[in-house]
Amino acid sequence: MTLKIGIAGAGFSGAVIANELAKAGHKITVYEPRNHVAGNCYSSRDVDSKIMLHHFGPHIFHTDKAHVWNYVCQLGQFMPFTNRVKARTQGQIYSLPINLHTINQFFNAQMSPIEAKNFIANQADSRIKEPKNFEDQAKKMIGESLYQAFFKDYTIKQWGRSPDSLPASILKRLPVRFNYDDNYFSHPFQGMPLEGYTPLIEKLLAHPNIQVKLNSTFSAAMKSNYDHVFFSGPLDAYFDYQLGRLPYRTLDFVKETHQGDYQGNAVINYCDNSQAYTRISEHKHFTPWEEHASTVIFKEYSREATPDDTPYYPVRLSDDNALLERYIALAKQQENITFVGRLGTYRYLDMDVTIDEALTVSKCFQESIISKQTMPAFIEQ
Ligand SMILES: Cc1cc2nc3c(=O)[nH]c(=O)nc-3n(C[C@H](O)[C@H](O)[C@H](O)COP(=O)(O)OP(=O)(O)OC[C@H]3O[C@@H](n4cnc5c(N)ncnc54)[C@H](O)[C@@H]3O)c2cc1C
């Protein structure tokens, strides 16, 4: 059975679903309000320096899912890349995530792993039995001084909220390693696409059954033109914000061009209040196999999104998500539409999770046509 499918959004969510359903024989139309595909993973070469730029923030592909790694590797060549982030705080430069090097440098010591483990256990605030908020949780896990240096101001800059007003659940695991592993991610697969992310998405959309309409916004009124719609735009936008706006953080990227090497590393976080930005990313270090005489950096500032801003991070920071619950209830009443991706389900999703969910949704959709099986609703997670 060939169906007419409408897809809102040409990021990884929309492109993966479009490709899977086009291969199954359906006729797909993808709507994208921007003048380019690839969503927030959009990358292109800087006109002057030719450095590959990630326009919506630095994107490093990492996953523990072998099938997702194999999937992206057949879309384009990935180069080895390990993200090693540095942190500036209290006048020093440290290694992140907090590891044995960070601890020894911070406390001016030469501890072994077991000594450091015992030391940090002693630093931890044992008076806090039931952490009531993020600040309590951090102090209970790593103690006052590491919390002050690496978490307090950074969290305020990133979320615009005091850590004692954020739920403890945000800090689930002890963010400390008792060895010298400074690989920012713990996943076994990590890499950078040789020519950036945009060609990967273009390849997914280059199927004769897929028509891509750039500069085109999908609205609820267009749903009746399709047998089924996959919507990866903002959940509240689909309902024309009738219940109010779901809160987002947006980012301002201030671009600078310099000669040579600006900071010697791809990402340096600014954990204290000495600067208003949260981090500086220097994009030529994401392609260490290339050589460029000049360099492009972005200073990243976080703030509350207004209606005119690009939504970056959903603010799911409170245990009370009453507005979201009401939108989810509205979404569940709709027929022939599935809300997908980071905006459609209002969750922070890494690229690998986005791709995995899009593959699952596509498979379930195909099976639902045959066996009337119900579709997964990631929106409720
Ligand atoms: C600053 C930042 C850094 C990140 N870094 C990493 C990283 O290092 N590694 C990693 O794995 N992940 C990273 N991510 C997450 C990554 O960006 C997401 O996983 C990915 O973008 C999700 O893809 P998506 O298709 O769901 O959403 P998007 O890429 O946002 O695509 C949604 C698309 O829908 C379009 N749209 C909106 N409204 C409509 C409408 N009404 N009709 C039609 N289209 C519409 C939008 O224009 C957009 O192109 C980062 C995210 C941010 C914010």
Side-chain angles (χ1 to χ4, degrees):
M1 187 185 355
T2 299
L3 297 177
K4 251 182 102 182
I5 307 287
I7 295 185
F12 264 119
S13 296
V16 168
I17 296 170
N19 184 267
E20 290 298 303
L21 299 187
K23 286 189 293 189
H26 303 298
K27 295 286 181 202
I28 320 289
T29 308
V30 178
Y31 295 84
E32 172 53 60
R34 293 171 175 167
N35 62 2
H36 58 78
V37 299
N40 271 19
C41 304
Y42 176 61
S43 57
S44 71
R45 289 199 181 272
D46 185 43
V47 177
D48 298 323
S49 67
K50 306 290 178 260
I51 294 166
M52 184 63 73
L53 301 183
H54 302 184
H55 297 275
F56 298 92
H59 279 68
I60 300 109
F61 199 93
H62 57 97
T63 187
D64 58 354
K65 300 171 184 64
H67 69 283
V68 174
W69 180 243
N70 293 335
Y71 180 87
V72 293
C73 287
Q74 36 96 9
L75 297 176
Q77 188 181 347
F78 272 71
M79 300 296 281
F81 182 84
T82 305
N83 197 25
R84 300 190 197 281
V85 178
K86 303 292 172 232
R88 281 178 76 135
T89 188
Q90 300 179 354
Q92 291 281 336
I93 301 206
Y94 296 97
S95 159
L96 281 184
I98 297 173
N99 60 66
L100 195 46
H101 201 171
T102 326
I103 296 168
N104 276 328
Q105 190 189 349
F106 189 81
F107 293 103
N108 197 16
Q110 297 166 52
M111 289 179 267
S112 69
I114 187 69
E115 285 167 344
K117 208 169 194 168
N118 292 334
F119 178 82
I120 295 297
N122 283 331
Q123 289 279 308
D125 191 336
S126 55
R127 291 166 305 175
I128 303 169
K129 302 285 178 230
E130 290 289 325
K132 289 187 187 57
N133 53 51
F134 178 96
E135 182 170 297
D136 278 1
Q137 182 79 332
K139 287 183 183 170
K140 184 177 155 65
M141 284 175 162
I142 55 173
E144 179 77 32
S145 46
L146 286 175
Y147 164 69
Q148 290 284 345
F150 293 98
F151 289 96
K152 186 175 180 191
D153 293 340
Y154 188 84
T155 304
I156 295 170
K157 285 195 280 186
Q158 178 76 0
W159 293 108
R161 287 151 177 81
S162 169
D164 61 11
S165 69
L166 300 173
S169 56
I170 296 177
L171 207 59
K172 288 185 190 105
R173 284 180 294 118
L174 186 69
V176 173
R177 290 187 191 146
F178 296 104
N179 57 33
Y180 289 98
D181 179 6
D182 64 350
N183 180 350
Y184 197 70
F185 300 114
S186 319
H187 287 157
F189 307 103
Q190 188 173 173
M192 275 288 176
L194 179 66
E195 282 300 325
Y197 293 94
T198 308
L200 313 182
I201 305 257
E202 284 170 344
K203 187 166 179 185
L204 285 169
L205 294 170
H207 189 285
N209 283 349
I210 301 176
Q211 187 192 11
V212 179
K213 294 189 174 196
L214 295 178
N215 306 304
S216 304
T217 301
F218 187 90
S219 65
M222 294 151 76
K223 183 165 85 93
S224 56
N225 299 333
Y226 296 95
D227 296 307
H228 196 92
V229 166
F230 293 88
F231 190 85
S232 73
L235 174 64
D236 52 356
Y238 181 79
F239 295 104
D240 203 18
Y241 309 103
Q242 60 180 268
L243 303 174
R245 283 182 181 265
L246 289 167
Y248 276 96
R249 297 292 286 177
T250 193
L251 300 172
D252 295 319
F253 293 100
V254 177
K255 184 182 174 189
E256 292 176 18
T257 302
H258 298 270
Q259 284 307 303
D261 193 349
Y262 182 81
Q263 63 179 14
N265 200 42
V267 181
I268 298 188
N269 287 5
Y270 284 72
C271 296
D272 65 14
N273 265 341
S274 58
Q275 302 295 341
Y277 39 83
T278 53
R279 59 180 176 174
I280 296 181
S281 46
E282 184 169 6
H283 287 213
K284 75 173 176 184
H285 292 303
F286 289 121
T287 54
W289 59 90
E290 294 183 4
E291 288 203 8
H292 299 277
S294 57
T295 193
V296 177
I297 64 151
F298 290 93
K299 292 178 175 164
E300 194 170 320
Y301 298 81
S302 172
R303 62 177 169 82
E304 215 69 13
T306 69
D308 296 329
D309 291 316
T310 305
Y312 281 91
Y313 296 109
V315 186
R316 281 205 186 212
L317 294 175
S318 147
D319 294 330
D320 170 25
N321 277 320
L323 182 60
L324 176 61
E325 295 305 324
R326 290 174 67 207
Y327 272 118
I328 291 176
L330 262 187
K332 283 165 75 178
Q333 287 165 18
Q334 310 298 307
E335 289 188 345
N336 304 328
I337 181 165
T338 309
F339 294 88
V340 293
R342 64 177 197 100
L343 300 169
T345 65
Y346 194 66
R347 291 172 302 152
Y348 177 81
L349 300 176
D350 273 327
M351 289 179 280
D352 65 324
V353 179
T354 305
I355 291 168
D356 196 29
E357 290 191 358
L359 289 170
T360 303
V361 160
S362 309
K363 186 166 175 281
C364 291
F365 179 72
Q366 271 303 99
E367 285 166 3
S368 73
I369 299 169
I370 302 159
S371 64
K372 299 275 175 236
Q373 179 187 306
T374 49
M375 297 276 288
F378 293 115
I379 197 172
E380 290 175 77
Q381 289 174 8

